[in-house]
Amino acid sequence: MTPAAVGRPVASGEGRRLRVVHCVGFYFPDSTGGTEVYVRDLVSALSQHSIDGTIVAATDGTYDRYTWTGVEVVRYPIDAPEIQRVSDRDVRKRRTMFQEIVEATKPDLFHLHSWTSGAGLRHLRQVARMDIPCVVTMHVPSAICMRGTMLLNDKRPCDGRIDDRRCAQCWALDRGLPAPAAYLVSQLPRWDVTDSVISRLSQRAATLLSARAAAATKARQLRSMATLSERIVAPSEWVRAALAENAIAPEKVVVSGQSASAEFSERKQRPLQGVDRRQIVIGFLGRLERYKGADMLVRALAELPTDLPVLLRIAGVGQDARFTRRMEEAARKDSRIQLMGLVEHEKVPEFLADIDVLAVPSRYMETGPIVVQEARALGIPVMGADLGGISERVHHGVDGWLLPFDDPGPWAEAIRVAATDRAEVARLSSNMRRTRSIDDVASDMAKLYREIMAGRPQSAGSQP
C-alpha cells in the first residue's frame, strides 16, 4: 500500500475484531470474473488479521442467503435500495431493504467493489447516510470512462480526465457515428435526456444528443464517490493517475495491486512444459468479447505459415453472439485454434499448467488483470497488450512481450518467436516470478481499515 493513505496512528481498535461488508454486483455461484475472485480471496485472507466479512451481492432473482467457502453471502434484488422496509415519521430512521441487509451484519466498515446499477453509487450513498465508513475499490474503468475502455477515440490510452466535450465525442465514435458527426455531438449544449423535447425523440437520438450531459453526470458521480468514501483503492498506478486528473485528493487514494489466489502459492513454478512436444501452446483466458481481444490472436495466427508448430487455446464465453460466431468460424477453418468454452475458476490452475505462454490482448485499460498474476505465480510468460495494468505487470523482453493492442503484426512475430525459439520462452519463464500474494493484499486492506477506524470517534461504527 502506498504512503498516500498513511497519516493517522493505527492503534485504536487494534485489539478487537472488525467486521466488514463487501458489496459486489455479482457473486458465486453465478458466472463471475476477477472482481468476485478478488473479493472471495480477500475476505478469506482477512480472517488472519482479525477481520470478519460478509458479502452482499445483487441478483436478478429474489432475496437469498447462503454460505460460500465458509463466508456468509446475502443476495439482494436489484431494486433493494428502493424498497422501503421501515416506516417511521423520523426520516433518519427509515431504512430500505438494502440498508436493513447491511445494518443486520453490524459492520464497522462497508467496502464497495463494483460500480454498476446493482452495486454502485446509490448503494454507497445509502450506507454513508448510516454513518458507516466506506471504501471503494475501482476494479474497472467505468467510474471514469463512458466507453469503459479508457481508450481515447479507440486509438490511444486516455489520461482519464473527464471533459464533457472530449468524452462526448469519444463516446459518440464508439456508438458508430462518423468523426464529423461525433464532433458535432460534442459541440451541442448539455441537453438532458429527460427534457420534454429531447425525450420525444428516439432513444438512440436522445442519448446521443445528451452525451455532454452524460459526461458531466459521470464527473459528478466520481466526485460523489470521493466525498462519500473514506478511501478509494486503485489496483494500478494508472488508476491513481486518472483519479488525480479529476482532482481527487491524493490522500483519498491508496494503490494496492491484486494477486493470484492462495491455491497458486501452493504450486511450484514449473519449467517450460512440452519441450518434447511438437507444438507450443498459447492460451487465452477471458470473456469472448471484443474488448478482451481474443480475435487479435486469431488475426495474428492468420498471418503465419500454417505449418508453424503452435496451438492456440481460447477459454471463455461471451454474450456477443456475432463475436462468438466469428471465433467459432475461425476455429473451424484453422485446426490450430481450440475453443475450450467456459473454464471455472477452480479449473484455471489446470488450464494454465498445460500452456506455455499466456496471451492477454485486451483492448481496454485493465486494472489487473488477476490472470497475469496467476501466470506469474506459475512461471508462465505473458504476451500482453501494452496498456494499463498489463504494462505495469509485464516487462517486455524480461518476462514476456508487450505488444500493440491494435496491430496483429507484432503479435504474429511474437507467436513466431515463441513457436520457434524454445530457449527464449524458457528464459522468459525463468524470469516470471511471483511478486505479490493474497496475504499482501489482505495486509494492505487490514492496515487501511484499522487506520480508518482509528480516525473515527470511539462510538462511531463500533460494535460491542
Side-chain angles (χ1 to χ4, degrees):
M1 186 166 65
T2 62
V6 179
R8 299 189 185 106
V10 191
S12 180
E14 191 76 45
R16 67 181 182 87
R17 296 189 73 88
L18 296 180
R19 175 166 289 280
V20 179
V21 167
H22 299 265
C23 183
V24 285
F26 311 92
Y27 202 64
F28 299 95
D30 296 348
S31 178
T32 53
T35 298
E36 292 74 36
V37 171
Y38 171 94
V39 171
R40 181 201 65 186
D41 295 344
L42 174 62
V43 174
S44 177
L46 281 171
S47 64
Q48 301 301 312
H49 295 264
S50 298
I51 298 174
D52 300 318
T54 298
I55 295 168
V56 297
T59 176
D60 292 332
T62 59
Y63 175 88
D64 193 13
R65 183 186 295 269
Y66 56 89
T67 298
W68 192 265
T69 61
V71 176
E72 181 184 42
V73 180
V74 180
R75 306 299 297 271
Y76 57 85
I78 294 294
D79 60 351
E82 279 73 54
I83 301 175
Q84 292 287 334
R85 297 294 293 273
V86 176
S87 296
D88 198 296
R89 288 186 176 183
D90 187 346
V91 176
R92 293 171 298 178
K93 294 181 180 180
R94 294 177 185 171
R95 291 286 186 262
T96 66
M97 179 181 184
F98 179 77
Q99 288 175 312
E100 279 196 339
I101 289 170
V102 172
E103 194 170 47
T105 68
K106 302 186 184 304
D108 295 287
L109 299 102
F110 176 83
H111 195 152
L112 180 65
H113 295 271
S114 298
W115 201 249
T116 64
S117 59
L121 181 58
R122 59 179 179 164
H123 305 78
L124 186 64
R125 281 180 175 145
Q126 291 196 356
V127 175
R129 292 190 193 116
M130 298 163 67
D131 196 32
I132 298 171
C134 300
V135 175
V136 178
T137 294
M138 282 187 54
H139 290 281
V140 293
S142 58
I144 296 176
C145 178
M146 292 173 67
R147 296 175 68 144
T149 64
M150 292 290 293
L151 294 181
L152 184 60
N153 301 329
D154 208 31
K155 295 184 181 299
R156 60 183 176 85
C158 181
D159 61 12
R161 177 176 57 86
I162 302 176
D163 174 273
D164 59 2
R165 292 185 186 275
R166 184 176 72 161
C167 292
Q169 181 176 1
C170 181
W171 182 82
L173 286 170
D174 187 48
R175 289 301 183 271
L177 266 65
Y183 173 77
L184 289 176
V185 166
S186 73
Q187 302 306 305
L188 293 173
R190 290 184 184 177
W191 282 326
D192 187 341
V193 71
T194 61
D195 179 87
S196 59
V197 177
I198 301 298
S199 62
R200 287 198 292 268
L201 301 173
S202 70
Q203 183 177 357
R204 184 171 188 270
T207 302
L208 286 169
L209 291 177
S210 61
R212 281 191 64 194
T217 298
K218 178 73 71 176
R220 288 195 299 272
Q221 291 173 339
L222 184 63
R223 289 194 295 271
S224 294
M225 176 203 288
T227 299
L228 296 169
S229 58
E230 298 283 339
R231 298 290 190 278
I232 300 174
V233 179
S236 291
E237 281 290 339
W238 78 258
V239 179
R240 180 204 58 75
L243 290 170
E245 285 287 334
N246 288 285
I248 304 301
E251 61 269 19
K252 277 272 186 178
V253 183
V254 174
V255 178
S256 176
Q258 302 150 332
S259 168
S261 299
E263 59 260 33
F264 287 87
S265 64
E266 299 170 1
R267 302 175 68 93
K268 295 181 179 179
Q269 291 185 14
R270 88 285 186 266
L272 177 65
Q273 296 294 305
V275 173
D276 297 326
R277 69 186 175 201
R278 190 177 70 85
Q279 295 170 310
I280 196 151
V281 179
I282 297 175
F284 168 90
L285 184 64
R287 295 187 182 276
L288 290 191
E289 309 278 356
R290 182 182 181 277
Y291 69 91
K292 281 293 188 178
D295 58 319
M296 176 67 75
L297 304 175
V298 172
R299 292 166 60 196
L301 199 61
E303 296 187 7
L304 295 166
T306 57
D307 60 349
L308 189 74
V310 61
L311 181 64
L312 176 59
R313 286 188 181 146
I314 298 176
V317 295
Q319 296 182 332
D320 186 336
R322 288 192 301 174
F323 187 90
T324 299
R325 284 196 298 269
R326 289 202 303 270
M327 298 300 292
E328 291 171 345
E329 181 64 22
R332 282 193 293 268
K333 292 179 178 179
D334 192 336
S335 61
R336 297 173 298 176
I337 302 172
Q338 292 183 348
L339 297 183
M340 311 296 292
L342 177 65
V343 173
E344 299 290 353
H345 191 260
E346 60 268 20
K347 299 292 185 181
V348 168
E350 294 177 23
F351 176 83
L352 293 179
D354 200 34
I355 67 173
D356 303 307
V357 176
L358 175 71
V360 191
S362 301
R363 286 194 185 95
Y364 78 110
M365 300 272 278
E366 297 261 18
T367 62
I370 289 178
V371 71
V372 171
Q373 301 287 42
E374 292 168 342
R376 179 175 292 282
L378 299 181
I380 301 171
V382 173
M383 288 181 188
D386 191 6
L387 289 173
I390 301 171
S391 63
E392 294 181 26
R393 290 162 174 79
V394 178
H395 308 91
H396 185 74
V398 177
D399 50 24
W401 297 261
L402 287 175
L403 306 163
F405 73 94
D406 57 354
D407 183 359
W411 288 86
E413 175 58 19
I415 292 173
R416 185 196 65 78
V417 170
T420 59
D421 190 346
R422 300 298 180 90
E424 174 64 1
V425 177
R427 181 185 71 81
L428 297 173
S429 176
S430 67
N431 291 330
M432 187 60 107
R433 295 187 175 87
R434 187 187 188 104
T435 58
R436 191 163 171 79
S437 71
I438 191 61
D439 290 333
D440 295 326
V441 179
S443 294
D444 283 355
M445 292 303 100
K447 181 179 179 182
L448 174 60
Y449 297 157
R450 294 197 181 278
E451 178 185 280
I452 291 171
M453 295 306 299
R456 292 175 65 80
Q458 189 65 34
S459 60
S462 297
Q463 302 298 333

